[in-house]
Amino acid sequence: MIRAALVRLHRWAGVAIAGFLIVVGLTGSLLAFWNEINHWITPDLYPGPHAGIELDAAILARRAEALAPQARATQVYLGYIGTAWVTMEALEGAPPLAFDQIYLDTVTGVELGRLKFGVFPTRRAEVMPFVYKLHYALALDDPGGWILGVVALVWTIDCFVAFALTLPRARGRSRKSFFPRWKPAWLVKWSGSLYRVNFDFHRAGGLWLWAMLLIYAWSSVMMNLDVVYSRVTGFFLDYPRPSLAARPLPVEGRKPLEWEEAQSIASRRMAEQAKALNFTIERPIALYHLREKGVFNYRVRSSLDIGEKYGATGIDIDVYTGELLNVSLPTGGHSGVTVSTWLAELHSANVFGPAYQVAVSLFGVTVAALSASGVYIWWKKRGARGALHAPKTNRRRSAMSDVTPS
């Protein structure tokens, strides 16, 4: 009875989330090579590293605002060497912008291009941003993120259900021990029928890739459904949630820090933390003016980062006073944060070099194939159940025709 319930749960969970997993699997296979594909199809936006001293975030923010006087900069991201993403928003009273990002050369400050990130692509520069937004939010912004968060939670639970269904049934009359009886679940009988090969592939593929499937399912919960992830992780590990002070209310005569002031103070605060906590700063990654939170967020790549690119070592400073409000370290502190960092870097193919990138790209295609194979199994069994009941229905119709007058 328990097994039958698990079969139904796996069947309907799989059918419900299969379409979403096909989309995120195929888009994820491309995003494993995000930098390489961007440089390949849009070298004008992503020229890559070149000689010269990189400008700091404040200078680049000012440069973007000079290029678009009707807008103001909100974020400067320096994670892609050679290219700065400057996120823009329209000034109060100004008409809506036709773009939300200006791309600048990090050495010269020259404009490389403008984009509305994530719109349906009509030119090459918009292809990968659309793939990215389709992957993390179904190109639907917040509602899409919530949908994929629920999908990820169902996927996580279904990983355990699917694993349980591969285990051999109670021994009964069989004299074989557990592992010999479990062995067929790990194999594909290629000489069988199409349905049998598909079924074996679905079961064996899920077993061989089970750990990776669980990692990607649970890391997707982390990225899209933090309300669940933080509580579960906090139950098992030391995972404090960062708490910011209440947003400082503006008062007469007090203005938010300018970009230059914020850059200087944040750099100094980060250097102080590096000395106090014994880590080294490698390069700046981002400076964000988060007006809705009343903070500037400053990020660097440091010796505490495990990813091969980018960086997640950050601090928050008060938007008015520059007071240090929060320190975020990717590793070396709380166990739950370290685990979360590993999940994020594994998910984004940012560890273990090009070989892991290839593995993640192939994994994305395999996730789509496993999902499609599950739908095929459901469809075939549904047809078989329909055929099983068909003769009874036909007999009833035949009996009725015998008593129905002509």
Side-chain angles (χ1 to χ4, degrees):
M1 183 176 294
I2 294 178
R3 188 180 182 87
L6 291 178
V7 168
R8 287 194 293 272
L9 179 60
H10 178 61
R11 178 188 304 151
W12 291 110
V15 170
I17 68 176
F20 298 106
L21 294 188
I22 290 172
V23 171
V24 298
L26 294 178
T27 53
S29 69
L30 295 175
L31 293 176
F33 291 96
W34 166 262
N35 281 346
E36 292 81 0
I37 295 176
N38 272 325
H39 179 66
W40 174 49
I41 65 175
T42 52
D44 50 329
L45 294 184
Y46 295 91
H50 47 283
I53 299 175
E54 291 193 336
L55 302 173
D56 65 33
I59 293 175
L60 292 166
R62 293 300 191 195
R63 174 62 177 158
E65 289 176 341
L67 290 167
Q70 78 280 27
R72 64 183 179 185
T74 62
Q75 302 178 8
V76 181
Y77 185 73
L78 306 169
Y80 309 116
I81 297 177
T83 300
W85 282 11
V86 184
T87 303
M88 309 294 289
E89 66 179 14
L91 293 172
E92 292 182 12
L97 300 176
F99 59 92
D100 54 20
Q101 287 186 335
I102 295 180
Y103 291 60
L104 301 177
D105 187 297
T106 55
V107 174
T108 65
V110 170
E111 180 177 341
L112 302 175
R114 302 183 185 192
L115 284 181
K116 189 79 170 177
F117 194 89
V119 297
F120 187 82
T122 57
R123 52 195 177 110
R124 285 184 303 169
E126 295 169 339
V127 171
M128 288 305 292
F130 177 74
V131 169
Y132 183 83
K133 193 171 183 179
L134 190 61
H135 180 78
Y136 79 83
L138 301 175
L140 297 174
D141 295 314
D142 289 343
W146 276 97
I147 291 170
L148 288 183
V150 173
V151 168
L153 183 59
V154 173
W155 186 17
T156 300
I157 296 170
D158 192 49
C159 281
F160 293 99
V161 174
F163 183 85
L165 290 174
T166 69
L167 300 175
R169 297 172 184 266
R171 180 177 298 185
R173 297 181 180 180
S174 174
R175 296 181 179 180
K176 293 182 178 179
S177 60
F178 176 84
F179 287 105
R181 288 185 293 121
W182 197 24
K183 181 180 178 180
W186 296 80
L187 305 174
V188 177
K189 189 177 181 181
W190 298 105
S191 60
S193 65
L194 176 62
Y195 173 82
R196 180 54 191 254
V197 170
N198 189 82
F199 180 86
D200 286 352
F201 165 75
H202 186 79
R203 181 177 60 179
L207 270 176
W208 284 106
L209 296 175
W210 189 83
M212 205 165 179
L213 289 165
L214 181 61
I215 286 171
Y216 272 80
W218 187 234
S219 61
S220 298
V221 174
M222 175 183 70
M223 295 172 179
N224 292 88
L225 205 61
D226 181 68
V227 64
V228 174
Y229 177 84
S230 59
R231 293 191 179 188
V232 174
T233 303
F235 181 80
F236 292 100
L237 299 170
D238 178 19
Y239 189 62
R241 302 300 299 140
S243 58
L244 290 176
R247 177 182 175 181
L249 296 175
V251 296
E252 187 177 353
R254 187 171 69 167
K255 295 181 179 180
L257 298 173
E258 299 290 346
W259 281 100
E260 294 80 4
E261 295 176 289
Q263 173 81 54
S264 176
I265 294 173
S267 298
R268 186 171 69 252
R269 300 286 190 212
M270 181 64 79
E272 292 169 353
Q273 292 302 307
K275 183 177 180 180
L277 300 175
N278 195 30
F279 65 85
T280 57
I281 298 171
E282 298 177 10
R283 61 183 297 261
I285 293 295
L287 181 61
Y288 298 158
H289 187 178
L290 306 178
R291 290 181 173 84
E292 72 282 0
K293 295 183 178 180
V295 303
F296 274 97
N297 175 260
Y298 180 61
R299 298 184 190 180
V300 301
R301 174 174 174 78
S302 79
S303 56
L304 297 178
D305 283 288
I306 59 174
E308 296 172 346
K309 302 180 287 288
Y310 324 127
T313 305
I315 60 171
D316 294 310
I317 62 171
D318 187 292
V319 74
Y320 294 106
T321 66
E323 176 189 356
L324 181 66
L325 299 177
N326 183 57
V327 179
S328 178
L329 305 178
T331 62
H334 305 285
S335 59
V337 175
T338 299
V339 168
S340 299
T341 299
W342 271 103
L343 285 174
E345 302 297 4
L346 286 168
H347 190 110
S348 57
N350 195 26
V351 287
F352 306 139
Y356 184 68
Q357 284 181 277
V358 173
V360 169
S361 185
L362 294 175
F363 174 75
V365 175
T366 305
V367 167
L370 289 172
S371 301
S373 68
V375 173
Y376 175 76
I377 293 169
W378 166 80
W379 178 69
K380 291 293 287 184
K381 286 192 172 183
R382 183 172 181 270
R385 285 192 296 272
L388 181 65
H389 294 294
K392 295 181 181 179
T393 304
N394 290 339
R395 284 197 296 271
R396 291 195 193 99
R397 289 177 178 172
S398 177
M400 290 183 67
S401 66
D402 290 340
V403 298
T404 302
S406 306

